[in-house]
Amino acid sequence: MSVLRLDKYLSECGVASRKEIREIIRSGRVTVDGVAETNFARKIDSGSAVTLDGSALAYEKYRYFMLNKPHGVLSATEDRDQATVLSLLLPEHKRLGLFPVGRLDKDTTGLLILTNDGDFAHKVISPKSGIMKRYLAETDGRCTEDDVRIFAEGIVLGDGTKCLPAKLEPCGERCYVTVAEGKYHQVKRMLAAVGKPVLKLHRLSVGGLLLDESLLPGQYRELDAEELCRVMKQN
Ligand code: URA
């Protein structure tokens, strides 16, 4: 951890808004190395022991959450008119500067990772990392073995865009699609290109990280260290 001002440190711990934090510090509720500290500009480093109302604070620069994204919510950090995935968060998590790792369409549901770690997000999104994203799609029409082959060879979309090879697993009126990239409306456009428009789309996994099925739509939880490693690995 680099050296931080006390108010910034508390803000990054997500304890309150910046404005509230100054008030909290002024009122003597914060100690640094066992002594009450009322100077919000006090420098804090990794060796400092900070408490708030007697409880030790643990500073984590980066945080990672999995959300079961519900239908009808935008994968964005803000929007003038519509609810975004950040509107689903508790106030202490809203303050962490989280953003979605990639985008799911408004009507797509399922696994969405939220973080404030830009490098991590970049790695997960980049097709070069080869991190596969698996979707369950309900389609109008059944996918065929021909479609499987076309996906495996790298489908060319209606506008001429060439996709990386992808895995298609037909399953009646539904199918599983696994892709390494995240072009705009990619899975919908791929399935439309073989004449199987998508009726419903749900993301099941990112790398080796599966959506926790105990999370109801709109619910989320923090990832543990092992789950975080799993994102970078395949099943
Ligand atoms: N592909 C799509 O078409 N939509 C999504 O939301 C994700 C992948």
Side-chain angles (χ1 to χ4, degrees):
M1 169 190 146
S2 53
V3 175
L4 288 179
R5 279 164 48 137
L6 180 57
D7 55 353
K8 176 105 166 77
Y9 175 94
L10 292 173
S11 164
E12 294 199 0
C13 288
V15 300
S17 70
R18 281 303 271 278
K19 197 165 149 228
E20 289 163 342
I21 283 170
R22 293 213 171 172
E23 200 39 55
I24 288 171
I25 295 171
R26 259 188 227 114
S27 62
R29 292 164 58 192
V30 176
T31 68
V32 178
D33 298 333
V35 180
E37 180 56 84
T38 53
N39 174 12
F40 55 76
R42 163 82 184 259
K43 296 284 186 272
I44 300 298
D45 63 28
S46 54
S48 314
V50 182
T51 69
L52 170 61
D53 297 334
S55 302
L57 294 178
Y59 174 81
E60 286 172 278
K61 185 164 188 198
Y62 295 127
R63 305 281 294 269
Y64 310 86
F65 296 82
M66 78 154 82
L67 165 72
N68 183 357
K69 181 193 168 296
H71 186 278
V73 173
L74 295 182
S75 297
T77 51
E78 53 186 11
D79 190 86
R80 263 187 26 198
D81 309 312
Q82 301 184 66
T84 71
V85 287
L86 294 195
S87 2
L88 301 166
L89 304 182
L90 294 168
E92 63 262 37
H93 295 144
K94 280 189 177 139
R95 290 191 281 265
L96 295 175
L98 300 174
F99 53 85
V101 176
R103 280 169 188 261
L104 292 179
D105 297 334
K106 187 176 170 186
D107 59 356
T108 299
T109 58
L111 176 58
L112 186 64
I113 299 173
L114 303 173
T115 187
N116 49 5
D117 180 347
D119 288 344
F120 168 84
H122 178 73
K123 243 182 247 160
V124 174
I125 295 166
S126 170
K128 284 192 199 127
S129 311
I131 295 175
M132 308 304 283
K133 291 92 187 172
R134 189 161 191 253
Y135 297 84
L136 176 60
E138 207 174 293
T139 51
D140 185 4
R142 290 170 175 246
C143 290
T144 65
E145 285 311 310
D146 259 356
D147 300 336
V148 173
R149 184 183 47 73
I150 294 167
F151 272 47
E153 284 169 359
I155 190 169
V156 179
L157 302 178
D159 64 357
T161 306
K162 168 102 173 136
C163 297
L164 291 173
K167 188 169 175 188
L168 172 65
E169 301 162 87
C171 181
E173 296 293 324
R174 307 201 299 176
C175 63
Y176 296 93
V177 180
T178 308
V179 293
E181 49 190 351
K183 298 187 198 300
Y184 181 65
H185 292 329
Q186 172 143 4
V187 174
K188 290 176 184 164
R189 288 160 73 209
M190 289 167 87
L191 285 163
V194 291
K196 316 290 170 351
V198 168
L199 304 175
K200 267 189 188 173
L201 191 60
H202 180 74
R203 184 152 70 188
L204 299 164
S205 61
V206 174
L209 178 72
L210 306 185
L211 176 65
D212 178 344
E213 295 295 340
S214 72
L215 292 174
L216 297 173
Q219 290 186 335
Y220 69 102
R221 68 166 173 78
E222 195 146 14
L223 295 178
D224 63 31
E226 194 216 329
E227 288 175 320
L228 196 55
C229 291
R230 257 190 256 149
V231 175
M232 299 297 174
K233 296 181 185 149
Q234 299 304 322
N235 288 322

